[in-house]
Amino acid sequence: MSMSGKFITLEGGEGAGKSTQIKALCAFLRGKNIEVVQTREVGGAPSAEAIRELWLTKGEGYWDAHSELLLIMAARREHLIKTIWPALERGAWVVSDRFVDSTRAYQGIGLGLGLDFVEHVYSLIADDFEPDLTLLLDLPVEAGLARMTSRGGQDDRYQQRDIAFHQKLREAYLALAGQDAHRFRIVDASGDAATVSTVIEDIMCKSFGL
Ligand code: TMP
């Protein structure tokens, strides 16, 4: 399978500003005449969105934690087969709000299922496929949660978890970024949206020679 496009993922805890930044990043890339597919996980294909609905709208304890991970991976397989890989093959750039690093951080480390379980299942559905670049939007947990509260809306089950969980999540992401430093870029997400966008655009230019 020859994939001439680039696969870029945005990761981070709650309130890091991924939704705002992904829109700005896609607009920036389109301004460079690149075909861009903006997508998200869990979801990104009709069948994967159906799994998201099954999974995220249910309360804590409805799904066994291992089953939950398998559901997320099933959605990821649908996303890869139906959206990501076809786009990369035709040369488009795919920008995804979350990907497997979310599973590593939330399920593998945060919920304690272990990275081995995540890696094992992931390698079965995706072999050694990884993003070309992962932007980790990092900010102190209190700042992220405060942003989320001021934004209002309905909390999903992870957003409702206590501060210790979110702290563990932040540390998990930073550890993953340290292990896979060749593809991770840590972005300080505590500034205003325009400042963060400029940092991301600079990373794009340097990483891909834009
Ligand atoms: P979102 O808020 O970015 O739409 O993500 C919804 C929730 O899904 C968020 O709390 C993180 C969680 N999630 C996981 O727990 N594992 C995963 O693999 C992914 C992709 C998301």
CSV table of all heavy atoms in Angstrom, one decimal, residues 119-172:
chain,number,residue,atom,x,y,z
A,119,GLU,N,-1.2,-2.2,22.7
A,119,GLU,CA,-0.3,-2.4,21.5
A,119,GLU,C,-0.7,-3.7,20.8
A,119,GLU,O,-0.6,-3.7,19.6
A,119,GLU,CB,1.1,-2.4,22.0
A,119,GLU,CG,1.7,-1.2,22.6
A,119,GLU,CD,1.4,0.1,21.9
A,119,GLU,OE1,1.1,0.1,20.7
A,119,GLU,OE2,1.6,1.2,22.5
A,120,HIS,N,-1.0,-4.7,21.6
A,120,HIS,CA,-1.3,-6.0,20.9
A,120,HIS,C,-2.5,-5.9,20.0
A,120,HIS,O,-2.4,-6.2,18.8
A,120,HIS,CB,-1.5,-7.0,22.0
A,120,HIS,CG,-1.7,-8.4,21.5
A,120,HIS,ND1,-0.7,-9.0,20.7
A,120,HIS,CD2,-2.7,-9.3,21.5
A,120,HIS,CE1,-1.2,-10.2,20.4
A,120,HIS,NE2,-2.4,-10.4,20.8
A,121,VAL,N,-3.6,-5.3,20.5
A,121,VAL,CA,-4.8,-5.2,19.7
A,121,VAL,C,-4.6,-4.2,18.5
A,121,VAL,O,-5.0,-4.5,17.4
A,121,VAL,CB,-6.0,-4.7,20.5
A,121,VAL,CG1,-7.3,-4.7,19.7
A,121,VAL,CG2,-6.2,-5.7,21.7
A,122,TYR,N,-3.9,-3.1,18.8
A,122,TYR,CA,-3.6,-2.1,17.8
A,122,TYR,C,-2.8,-2.8,16.6
A,122,TYR,O,-3.1,-2.6,15.5
A,122,TYR,CB,-2.9,-0.9,18.3
A,122,TYR,CG,-2.7,0.2,17.3
A,122,TYR,CD1,-3.8,0.8,16.7
A,122,TYR,CD2,-1.4,0.5,16.8
A,122,TYR,CE1,-3.6,1.7,15.6
A,122,TYR,CE2,-1.2,1.4,15.8
A,122,TYR,CZ,-2.3,2.0,15.2
A,122,TYR,OH,-2.2,2.9,14.2
A,123,SER,N,-1.8,-3.6,17.0
A,123,SER,CA,-1.0,-4.1,15.9
A,123,SER,C,-1.8,-5.1,15.1
A,123,SER,O,-1.5,-5.3,13.9
A,123,SER,CB,0.3,-4.8,16.5
A,123,SER,OG,-0.1,-5.9,17.2
A,124,LEU,N,-2.8,-5.7,15.7
A,124,LEU,CA,-3.6,-6.7,14.9
A,124,LEU,C,-4.5,-5.9,13.9
A,124,LEU,O,-4.8,-6.4,12.8
A,124,LEU,CB,-4.5,-7.5,15.8
A,124,LEU,CG,-3.8,-8.5,16.7
A,124,LEU,CD1,-4.8,-9.1,17.7
A,124,LEU,CD2,-3.1,-9.6,15.9
A,125,ILE,N,-4.9,-4.7,14.2
A,125,ILE,CA,-5.8,-4.0,13.3
A,125,ILE,C,-5.1,-3.0,12.4
A,125,ILE,O,-5.6,-2.6,11.3
A,125,ILE,CB,-6.9,-3.2,14.0
A,125,ILE,CG1,-6.3,-2.1,14.9
A,125,ILE,CG2,-7.8,-4.1,14.9
A,125,ILE,CD1,-7.3,-0.9,15.0
A,126,ALA,N,-3.9,-2.6,12.8
A,126,ALA,CA,-3.2,-1.6,12.0
A,126,ALA,C,-1.7,-1.8,11.7
A,126,ALA,O,-1.1,-1.0,11.1
A,126,ALA,CB,-3.3,-0.2,12.7
A,127,ASP,N,-1.3,-3.0,12.1
A,127,ASP,CA,0.1,-3.4,11.9
A,127,ASP,C,1.0,-2.3,12.5
A,127,ASP,O,0.8,-2.0,13.7
A,127,ASP,CB,0.4,-3.5,10.3
A,127,ASP,CG,1.7,-4.3,10.1
A,127,ASP,OD1,2.3,-4.8,11.0
A,127,ASP,OD2,2.1,-4.5,8.9
A,128,ASP,N,2.0,-1.7,11.8
A,128,ASP,CA,2.8,-0.7,12.5
A,128,ASP,C,2.5,0.7,12.0
A,128,ASP,O,3.4,1.6,12.1
A,128,ASP,CB,4.3,-1.1,12.2
A,128,ASP,CG,4.7,-1.1,10.7
A,128,ASP,OD1,3.7,-0.9,9.9
A,128,ASP,OD2,5.8,-1.3,10.4
A,129,PHE,N,1.3,0.9,11.6
A,129,PHE,CA,0.9,2.2,11.1
A,129,PHE,C,0.9,3.2,12.3
A,129,PHE,O,0.3,3.0,13.3
A,129,PHE,CB,-0.5,2.1,10.4
A,129,PHE,CG,-1.0,3.5,10.0
A,129,PHE,CD1,-0.5,4.0,8.8
A,129,PHE,CD2,-2.0,4.1,10.7
A,129,PHE,CE1,-1.0,5.3,8.4
A,129,PHE,CE2,-2.5,5.3,10.2
A,129,PHE,CZ,-2.0,5.9,9.1
A,130,GLU,N,1.5,4.4,12.1
A,130,GLU,CA,1.5,5.4,13.1
A,130,GLU,C,1.4,6.8,12.4
A,130,GLU,O,1.7,6.9,11.2
A,130,GLU,CB,2.8,5.4,13.9
A,130,GLU,CG,3.0,4.2,14.9
A,130,GLU,CD,2.2,4.3,16.1
A,130,GLU,OE1,1.6,5.4,16.4
A,130,GLU,OE2,2.1,3.3,16.8
A,131,PRO,N,1.0,7.8,13.1
A,131,PRO,CA,0.9,9.1,12.5
A,131,PRO,C,2.3,9.6,12.1
A,131,PRO,O,3.3,9.2,12.7
A,131,PRO,CB,0.4,10.0,13.6
A,131,PRO,CG,-0.3,9.1,14.6
A,131,PRO,CD,0.5,7.8,14.5
A,132,ASP,N,2.4,10.5,11.0
A,132,ASP,CA,3.7,11.1,10.7
A,132,ASP,C,4.1,12.1,11.7
A,132,ASP,O,5.2,12.3,12.0
A,132,ASP,CB,3.5,11.8,9.3
A,132,ASP,CG,3.3,10.8,8.2
A,132,ASP,OD1,4.3,10.1,7.9
A,132,ASP,OD2,2.2,10.7,7.7
A,133,LEU,N,3.0,12.8,12.3
A,133,LEU,CA,3.3,13.8,13.3
A,133,LEU,C,2.1,13.9,14.3
A,133,LEU,O,1.0,13.8,13.9
A,133,LEU,CB,3.5,15.2,12.6
A,133,LEU,CG,3.9,16.3,13.5
A,133,LEU,CD1,5.4,16.3,13.7
A,133,LEU,CD2,3.5,17.7,12.9
A,134,THR,N,2.5,14.0,15.5
A,134,THR,CA,1.4,14.1,16.6
A,134,THR,C,1.7,15.3,17.4
A,134,THR,O,2.8,15.5,18.0
A,134,THR,CB,1.5,12.8,17.5
A,134,THR,OG1,1.2,11.7,16.7
A,134,THR,CG2,0.4,12.9,18.6
A,135,LEU,N,0.7,16.2,17.4
A,135,LEU,CA,0.8,17.5,18.2
A,135,LEU,C,0.1,17.2,19.5
A,135,LEU,O,-1.1,16.9,19.6
A,135,LEU,CB,0.0,18.6,17.4
A,135,LEU,CG,0.6,18.9,16.1
A,135,LEU,CD1,-0.4,19.7,15.2
A,135,LEU,CD2,1.9,19.7,16.2
A,136,LEU,N,0.9,17.3,20.6
A,136,LEU,CA,0.3,17.1,21.9
A,136,LEU,C,0.1,18.5,22.5
A,136,LEU,O,1.0,19.2,22.8
A,136,LEU,CB,1.3,16.3,22.8
A,136,LEU,CG,0.9,16.2,24.3
A,136,LEU,CD1,-0.4,15.6,24.5
A,136,LEU,CD2,2.0,15.4,25.1
A,137,LEU,N,-1.2,18.8,22.6
A,137,LEU,CA,-1.6,20.1,23.2
A,137,LEU,C,-1.6,19.9,24.7
A,137,LEU,O,-2.5,19.3,25.3
A,137,LEU,CB,-3.0,20.5,22.7
A,137,LEU,CG,-3.0,21.4,21.4
A,137,LEU,CD1,-2.2,20.7,20.3
A,137,LEU,CD2,-4.4,21.7,20.9
A,138,ASP,N,-0.6,20.5,25.3
A,138,ASP,CA,-0.4,20.3,26.8
A,138,ASP,C,-0.6,21.5,27.6
A,138,ASP,O,-0.2,22.6,27.2
A,138,ASP,CB,1.1,19.9,27.0
A,138,ASP,CG,1.4,19.7,28.4
A,138,ASP,OD1,0.8,18.8,29.1
A,138,ASP,OD2,2.3,20.4,28.9
A,139,LEU,N,-1.4,21.4,28.6
A,139,LEU,CA,-1.6,22.5,29.6
A,139,LEU,C,-1.9,21.9,31.0
A,139,LEU,O,-2.3,20.8,31.1
A,139,LEU,CB,-2.6,23.5,29.1
A,139,LEU,CG,-4.1,23.3,29.3
A,139,LEU,CD1,-4.9,24.5,28.9
A,139,LEU,CD2,-4.6,22.1,28.6
A,140,PRO,N,-1.7,22.7,32.0
A,140,PRO,CA,-2.0,22.3,33.4
A,140,PRO,C,-3.4,21.8,33.5
A,140,PRO,O,-4.3,22.4,32.9
A,140,PRO,CB,-1.7,23.5,34.2
A,140,PRO,CG,-0.8,24.3,33.5
A,140,PRO,CD,-1.1,24.1,32.0
A,141,VAL,N,-3.6,20.7,34.2
A,141,VAL,CA,-4.9,20.1,34.3
A,141,VAL,C,-6.0,21.1,34.8
A,141,VAL,O,-7.1,21.2,34.2
A,141,VAL,CB,-4.9,18.9,35.3
A,141,VAL,CG1,-6.2,18.5,35.8
A,141,VAL,CG2,-4.1,17.8,34.7
A,142,GLU,N,-5.6,22.0,35.8
A,142,GLU,CA,-6.6,22.9,36.3
A,142,GLU,C,-7.1,23.9,35.2
A,142,GLU,O,-8.3,24.2,35.1
A,142,GLU,CB,-6.0,23.8,37.5
A,142,GLU,CG,-5.7,23.0,38.7
A,142,GLU,CD,-4.4,22.2,38.6
A,142,GLU,OE1,-3.7,22.2,37.6
A,142,GLU,OE2,-4.1,21.4,39.6
A,143,ALA,N,-6.2,24.3,34.4
A,143,ALA,CA,-6.5,25.2,33.3
A,143,ALA,C,-7.4,24.6,32.3
A,143,ALA,O,-8.4,25.2,31.8
A,143,ALA,CB,-5.2,25.7,32.6
A,144,GLY,N,-7.2,23.3,32.0
A,144,GLY,CA,-8.0,22.6,31.0
A,144,GLY,C,-9.4,22.4,31.5
A,144,GLY,O,-10.4,22.6,30.8
A,145,LEU,N,-9.5,22.0,32.8
A,145,LEU,CA,-10.8,21.8,33.4
A,145,LEU,C,-11.6,23.1,33.5
A,145,LEU,O,-12.8,23.1,33.3
A,145,LEU,CB,-10.7,21.1,34.7
A,145,LEU,CG,-10.1,19.6,34.6
A,145,LEU,CD1,-10.0,19.0,36.0
A,145,LEU,CD2,-10.9,18.7,33.7
A,146,ALA,N,-10.9,24.2,33.8
A,146,ALA,CA,-11.6,25.5,34.0
A,146,ALA,C,-12.1,25.9,32.6
A,146,ALA,O,-13.2,26.4,32.5
A,146,ALA,CB,-10.6,26.5,34.5
A,147,ARG,N,-11.3,25.7,31.5
A,147,ARG,CA,-11.8,26.0,30.2
A,147,ARG,C,-13.1,25.2,29.9
A,147,ARG,O,-14.0,25.7,29.3
A,147,ARG,CB,-10.8,25.6,29.1
A,147,ARG,CG,-9.8,26.7,28.8
A,147,ARG,CD,-9.0,26.3,27.6
A,147,ARG,NE,-7.8,27.1,27.5
A,147,ARG,CZ,-6.8,26.8,26.7
A,147,ARG,NH1,-6.9,25.8,25.9
A,147,ARG,NH2,-5.7,27.6,26.7
A,148,MET,N,-13.1,23.9,30.2
A,148,MET,CA,-14.2,23.1,29.9
A,148,MET,C,-15.5,23.6,30.7
A,148,MET,O,-16.5,23.6,30.1
A,148,MET,CB,-13.9,21.7,30.4
A,148,MET,CG,-13.8,20.7,29.3
A,148,MET,SD,-13.2,19.2,30.1
A,148,MET,CE,-14.3,19.1,31.5
A,149,THR,N,-15.3,24.0,31.9
A,149,THR,CA,-16.4,24.4,32.7
A,149,THR,C,-17.0,25.7,32.1
A,149,THR,O,-18.2,25.9,32.0
A,149,THR,CB,-15.9,24.7,34.2
A,149,THR,OG1,-15.2,23.5,34.6
A,149,THR,CG2,-17.1,24.9,35.1
A,150,SER,N,-16.1,26.6,31.7
A,150,SER,CA,-16.6,27.9,31.2
A,150,SER,C,-17.3,27.7,29.8
A,150,SER,O,-18.1,28.5,29.5
A,150,SER,CB,-15.4,28.9,31.1
A,150,SER,OG,-14.6,28.5,30.0
A,151,ARG,N,-16.9,26.6,29.1
A,151,ARG,CA,-17.5,26.3,27.8
A,151,ARG,C,-18.9,25.7,28.0
A,151,ARG,O,-19.7,25.8,27.1
A,151,ARG,CB,-16.6,25.3,27.1
A,151,ARG,CG,-16.6,25.4,25.6
A,151,ARG,CD,-15.5,24.7,25.0
A,151,ARG,NE,-15.4,23.3,25.5
A,151,ARG,CZ,-14.3,22.5,25.4
A,151,ARG,NH1,-13.2,23.0,24.9
A,151,ARG,NH2,-14.3,21.3,25.8
A,152,GLY,N,-19.2,25.1,29.2
A,152,GLY,CA,-20.5,24.5,29.4
A,152,GLY,C,-20.7,23.3,28.6
A,152,GLY,O,-19.7,22.6,28.2
A,153,GLY,N,-21.9,22.9,28.4
A,153,GLY,CA,-22.2,21.6,27.6
A,153,GLY,C,-22.2,20.4,28.5
A,153,GLY,O,-21.9,20.5,29.7
A,154,GLN,N,-22.5,19.3,27.9
A,154,GLN,CA,-22.6,18.1,28.6
A,154,GLN,C,-21.2,17.4,28.8
A,154,GLN,O,-20.5,17.2,27.8
A,154,GLN,CB,-23.6,17.1,27.9
A,154,GLN,CG,-24.6,16.6,28.9
A,154,GLN,CD,-25.5,15.6,28.1
A,154,GLN,OE1,-25.5,15.6,26.9
A,154,GLN,NE2,-26.2,14.9,28.9
A,155,ASP,N,-20.9,17.0,30.0
A,155,ASP,CA,-19.7,16.3,30.2
A,155,ASP,C,-19.8,14.9,29.8
A,155,ASP,O,-20.8,14.2,30.0
A,155,ASP,CB,-19.3,16.3,31.7
A,155,ASP,CG,-18.9,17.6,32.2
A,155,ASP,OD1,-18.7,18.5,31.4
A,155,ASP,OD2,-18.7,17.8,33.4
A,156,ASP,N,-18.7,14.3,29.1
A,156,ASP,CA,-18.8,12.9,28.9
A,156,ASP,C,-18.1,12.2,30.1
A,156,ASP,O,-17.7,12.8,31.0
A,156,ASP,CB,-18.1,12.5,27.5
A,156,ASP,CG,-16.7,12.7,27.5
A,156,ASP,OD1,-16.0,12.5,28.5
A,156,ASP,OD2,-16.1,13.1,26.4
A,157,ARG,N,-18.1,10.9,30.0
A,157,ARG,CA,-17.7,10.2,31.2
A,157,ARG,C,-16.3,10.4,31.7
A,157,ARG,O,-16.0,10.4,32.9
A,157,ARG,CB,-18.0,8.7,31.0
A,157,ARG,CG,-16.8,8.0,30.3
A,157,ARG,CD,-17.0,6.6,30.3
A,157,ARG,NE,-18.1,6.3,29.3
A,157,ARG,CZ,-18.3,5.0,28.8
A,157,ARG,NH1,-17.5,4.1,29.2
A,157,ARG,NH2,-19.2,4.8,28.0
A,158,TYR,N,-15.4,10.7,30.8
A,158,TYR,CA,-14.0,11.0,31.2
A,158,TYR,C,-13.9,12.4,31.8
A,158,TYR,O,-13.1,12.6,32.7
A,158,TYR,CB,-13.0,10.8,30.1
A,158,TYR,CG,-13.0,9.3,29.8
A,158,TYR,CD1,-13.4,8.8,28.5
A,158,TYR,CD2,-12.5,8.4,30.7
A,158,TYR,CE1,-13.4,7.5,28.3
A,158,TYR,CE2,-12.5,7.0,30.4
A,158,TYR,CZ,-12.9,6.6,29.2
A,158,TYR,OH,-12.9,5.2,29.0
A,159,GLN,N,-14.6,13.3,31.2
A,159,GLN,CA,-14.6,14.7,31.7
A,159,GLN,C,-15.0,14.8,33.1
A,159,GLN,O,-14.6,15.6,33.9
A,159,GLN,CB,-15.4,15.6,30.8
A,159,GLN,CG,-14.8,15.8,29.4
A,159,GLN,CD,-15.7,16.4,28.4
A,159,GLN,OE1,-16.9,16.7,28.7
A,159,GLN,NE2,-15.2,16.6,27.2
A,160,GLN,N,-15.9,13.8,33.5
A,160,GLN,CA,-16.4,13.9,34.9
A,160,GLN,C,-15.5,13.3,35.9
A,160,GLN,O,-15.7,13.4,37.1
A,160,GLN,CB,-17.7,13.1,34.9
A,160,GLN,CG,-18.9,13.7,34.2
A,160,GLN,CD,-20.0,12.8,33.9
A,160,GLN,OE1,-19.9,11.6,34.3
A,160,GLN,NE2,-21.1,13.2,33.3
A,161,ARG,N,-14.4,12.6,35.4
A,161,ARG,CA,-13.5,12.0,36.4
A,161,ARG,C,-12.7,13.0,37.2
A,161,ARG,O,-12.7,14.2,36.9
A,161,ARG,CB,-12.5,11.1,35.7
A,161,ARG,CG,-13.2,9.8,35.3
A,161,ARG,CD,-12.2,8.9,34.6
A,161,ARG,NE,-12.8,7.6,34.5
A,161,ARG,CZ,-12.6,6.6,35.3
A,161,ARG,NH1,-11.7,6.7,36.2
A,161,ARG,NH2,-13.2,5.4,35.1
A,162,ASP,N,-12.1,12.6,38.3
A,162,ASP,CA,-11.5,13.5,39.3
A,162,ASP,C,-10.2,14.0,38.7
A,162,ASP,O,-9.6,13.5,37.8
A,162,ASP,CB,-11.4,12.9,40.7
A,162,ASP,CG,-10.4,11.7,40.7
A,162,ASP,OD1,-9.7,11.5,39.7
A,162,ASP,OD2,-10.4,11.0,41.7
A,163,ILE,N,-9.7,15.0,39.4
A,163,ILE,CA,-8.5,15.7,39.0
A,163,ILE,C,-7.3,14.8,39.0
A,163,ILE,O,-6.4,14.9,38.1
A,163,ILE,CB,-8.3,17.0,39.9
A,163,ILE,CG1,-7.4,18.0,39.2
A,163,ILE,CG2,-7.7,16.7,41.2
A,163,ILE,CD1,-7.7,19.4,39.5
A,164,ALA,N,-7.2,13.8,39.9
A,164,ALA,CA,-6.1,12.9,39.9
A,164,ALA,C,-6.0,12.1,38.6
A,164,ALA,O,-5.0,11.8,38.0
A,164,ALA,CB,-6.2,11.9,41.1
A,165,PHE,N,-7.2,11.7,38.0
A,165,PHE,CA,-7.2,11.0,36.8
A,165,PHE,C,-6.7,11.9,35.6
A,165,PHE,O,-5.9,11.5,34.8
A,165,PHE,CB,-8.7,10.6,36.4
A,165,PHE,CG,-8.8,9.9,35.1
A,165,PHE,CD1,-8.5,8.6,34.9
A,165,PHE,CD2,-9.2,10.6,34.0
A,165,PHE,CE1,-8.6,7.9,33.7
A,165,PHE,CE2,-9.3,10.0,32.7
A,165,PHE,CZ,-9.0,8.6,32.6
A,166,HIS,N,-7.1,13.1,35.6
A,166,HIS,CA,-6.6,14.1,34.6
A,166,HIS,C,-5.1,14.3,34.7
A,166,HIS,O,-4.5,14.5,33.7
A,166,HIS,CB,-7.5,15.3,34.6
A,166,HIS,CG,-8.9,15.1,34.2
A,166,HIS,ND1,-9.3,14.9,32.9
A,166,HIS,CD2,-10.0,15.0,35.0
A,166,HIS,CE1,-10.6,14.7,32.9
A,166,HIS,NE2,-11.1,14.7,34.1
A,167,GLN,N,-4.7,14.4,35.9
A,167,GLN,CA,-3.2,14.6,36.1
A,167,GLN,C,-2.4,13.4,35.6
A,167,GLN,O,-1.4,13.5,34.9
A,167,GLN,CB,-3.0,14.8,37.6
A,167,GLN,CG,-1.5,15.2,38.0
A,167,GLN,CD,-1.1,16.5,37.3
A,167,GLN,OE1,-1.9,17.5,37.3
A,167,GLN,NE2,0.0,16.5,36.7
A,168,LYS,N,-3.0,12.2,35.9
A,168,LYS,CA,-2.3,10.9,35.4
A,168,LYS,C,-2.3,10.9,33.9
A,168,LYS,O,-1.3,10.5,33.2
A,168,LYS,CB,-3.2,9.8,35.9
A,168,LYS,CG,-2.5,8.4,35.8
A,168,LYS,CD,-3.4,7.4,36.6
A,168,LYS,CE,-2.9,6.0,36.5
A,168,LYS,NZ,-3.8,5.1,37.1
A,169,LEU,N,-3.4,11.4,33.3
A,169,LEU,CA,-3.5,11.4,31.9
A,169,LEU,C,-2.5,12.4,31.3
A,169,LEU,O,-1.8,12.0,30.3
A,169,LEU,CB,-4.9,12.0,31.6
A,169,LEU,CG,-5.6,11.7,30.2
A,169,LEU,CD1,-5.7,10.2,30.0
A,169,LEU,CD2,-7.0,12.3,30.3
A,170,ARG,N,-2.3,13.5,31.9
A,170,ARG,CA,-1.3,14.5,31.4
A,170,ARG,C,0.1,13.8,31.4
A,170,ARG,O,0.8,13.9,30.5
A,170,ARG,CB,-1.3,15.8,32.2
A,170,ARG,CG,-0.4,16.8,31.7
A,170,ARG,CD,-0.3,18.1,32.5
A,170,ARG,NE,0.5,19.1,31.8
A,170,ARG,CZ,1.0,20.1,32.4
A,170,ARG,NH1,0.9,20.3,33.7
A,170,ARG,NH2,1.8,21.0,31.8
A,171,GLU,N,0.4,13.2,32.6
A,171,GLU,CA,1.7,12.6,32.7
A,171,GLU,C,1.9,11.4,31.7
A,171,GLU,O,2.9,11.2,31.1
A,171,GLU,CB,1.9,12.0,34.1
A,171,GLU,CG,2.2,13.2,35.1
A,171,GLU,CD,1.9,12.8,36.5
A,171,GLU,OE1,1.8,11.6,36.9
A,171,GLU,OE2,1.7,13.8,37.3
A,172,ALA,N,0.8,10.7,31.4
A,172,ALA,CA,0.8,9.6,30.5
A,172,ALA,C,1.2,10.2,29.1
A,172,ALA,O,2.0,9.6,28.4
A,172,ALA,CB,-0.5,8.9,30.4
